[in-house]
Amino acid sequence: MSEYQLILNDLTNFYFLTSEAAISQYIVILLSVGLFILTRRKINKFFIDNKSLKLSHNVISGVEKIINPIVGLTFISTLSLLISFYYPTHILNLFEILLIALIFARLGVYLLRFIFKGNPLLKAFENIIALLVWIYAIIYILGYSSVIAGTLEGMSFQVIGTSYNLLMIIQLIIGLIFAIAIAMSMATLVERSLKKTKGLNANLKSMINKLLKLLIYITAVVITMDTIGIDITFLSVFGGAFAVGLGFGMQNIVSNYISGFTILMDKSLHIGDILTIGEHYGIVTSIKSRYTVLKKLEGVEVIIPNNTLITENIINHTYMDRNVRVWIDIQISYKSSVDLAKKIMHDAAMKQDRVMKDPEPNVYLFYFNESGIDLKLVFFIKDAEEGQLRLKSEISEEIWREFQKQGVEIPFPQRDLHIKSGELKS
């Protein structure tokens, strides 16, 4: 009989649990808890206040979770050593086993956090993972792992003529969690590597990244299932059902995904392009598999399904180049000099840094209106993502000031009324 089984036998013996030896161990546990409470805040405060360590909040939190059980283990082990000369310490030994298992469980989780840095799935479930590892460690140390595994293996069932058991399902779930975590970390590394790669445009990088991510996830799932011993040929049945579902209920979703890859491959749109889609005008900030994000100049982000970009007419203001034409319409009175007004408007545009000097701004006499002469100032900018309203406002203000200084009038609607007097004849 192993040492751990002897401990368990004593712990199930009522006479031992109420004996003087057991009571002395209860007192040791209470003393250890009290000492731990007294010292815990000071130890934690040391890591928080010690600026020389330069530890982030996440690192401090992780250190606390490992240091705390180590401190508790130290107190219990020390006091257990003192009373071991007088009484057996089976209860204290069990507490030591629990604390050691907890320490190694948390160390394992934080090792995974370091390996899979920035993995959101691991961060969300690390406490659950630590708990499961701790429970498994205790079961394994106490020698019950084979008994529990045999019981779970005996709970079998059949799916499509293939036999499965509960142990296999639990192994599959745990394996998939770790496989997906590893796959997500690998996908993050691939994405970072692609971002640093030169010679590939943003569209090609995005397409390669999405294809590699899909391949990594599929490979991770297949390897996990094959390792556990699940026959992956049954996936063909689900694949057929999935294909039928695509044909009926997922037409729009599939269409958006295919449209997304089409956009990335034919390079009709790029991240940073300036588009007009219906009533929306903005900059493409992201092209996903299913949708494209358009950031409007007022800061609002619009999610456009990729199918819309394929089937509807859109205006790409930066398809061939990033130069965008801007114009300002101004009307002057018939009494004012057209040449002077054109010069003022031209000079006002040339003063702005955002206005391109090549091609040079031009002013056109556009129309002879009934109230005045319509002039159109036309110029180009290459940073349309910065917006046009402020630039138009600054140019218009400059034109208005110069018009006032040099006597150029901006007309308002006028009507000449001619009244004729006559005699009424009866």
Side-chain angles (χ1 to χ4, degrees), residues 275-293:
L275 308 180
T276 297
I277 306 172
E279 61 181 5
H280 304 299
Y281 173 83
I283 307 158
V284 177
T285 58
S286 179
I287 301 176
K288 302 293 186 180
S289 301
R290 188 179 63 82
Y291 60 86
T292 295
V293 180

Side-chain angles (χ1 to χ4, degrees), residues 116-293:
F116 308 122
K117 187 176 180 181
N119 191 301
L121 185 65
L122 179 64
K123 188 174 181 181
F125 294 101
E126 61 183 19
N127 289 331
I128 297 175
I129 294 172
L131 178 62
L132 293 175
V133 172
W134 182 48
I135 293 172
Y136 178 77
I138 294 171
I139 292 172
Y140 182 80
I141 291 172
L142 296 179
Y144 284 103
S145 58
S146 58
V147 177
I148 295 174
T151 303
L152 294 174
E153 197 170 3
M155 300 178 181
S156 60
F157 54 92
Q158 286 194 345
V159 177
I160 317 177
T162 305
S163 180
Y164 301 97
N165 57 68
L166 193 57
L167 177 63
M168 188 179 292
I169 300 302
I170 294 173
Q171 290 175 336
L172 177 62
I173 293 171
I174 296 173
L176 286 177
I177 291 173
F178 280 98
I180 292 173
I182 294 171
M184 290 177 69
S185 301
M186 291 178 64
T188 303
L189 291 175
V190 168
E191 186 174 2
R192 289 175 182 172
S193 300
L194 284 172
K195 285 182 179 179
K196 296 177 182 178
T197 303
K198 297 180 180 179
L200 297 177
N201 60 44
N203 280 17
L204 188 57
K205 288 181 181 180
S206 179
M207 185 178 67
I208 293 173
N209 181 42
K210 294 179 191 308
L211 290 173
L212 287 178
K213 275 186 178 181
L214 182 63
L215 181 62
I216 289 170
Y217 288 136
I218 292 174
T219 304
V221 172
V222 170
I223 290 175
T224 302
M225 296 177 69
D226 187 59
T227 302
I228 293 172
I230 295 178
D231 186 8
I232 61 175
T233 55
F234 84 98
L235 291 176
S236 59
V237 177
F238 294 99
F242 182 70
V244 174
L246 289 180
F248 289 99
M250 303 178 67
Q251 293 175 346
N252 289 334
I253 296 175
V254 174
S255 175
N256 285 321
Y257 276 101
I258 294 174
S259 299
F261 281 105
T262 302
I263 291 169
L264 292 171
M265 291 177 66
D266 66 12
K267 302 179 182 179
S268 57
L269 295 180
H270 302 83
I271 294 173
D273 280 355
I274 300 169
L275 308 180
T276 297
I277 306 172
E279 61 181 5
H280 304 299
Y281 173 83
I283 307 158
V284 177
T285 58
S286 179
I287 301 176
K288 302 293 186 180
S289 301
R290 188 179 63 82
Y291 60 86
T292 295
V293 180

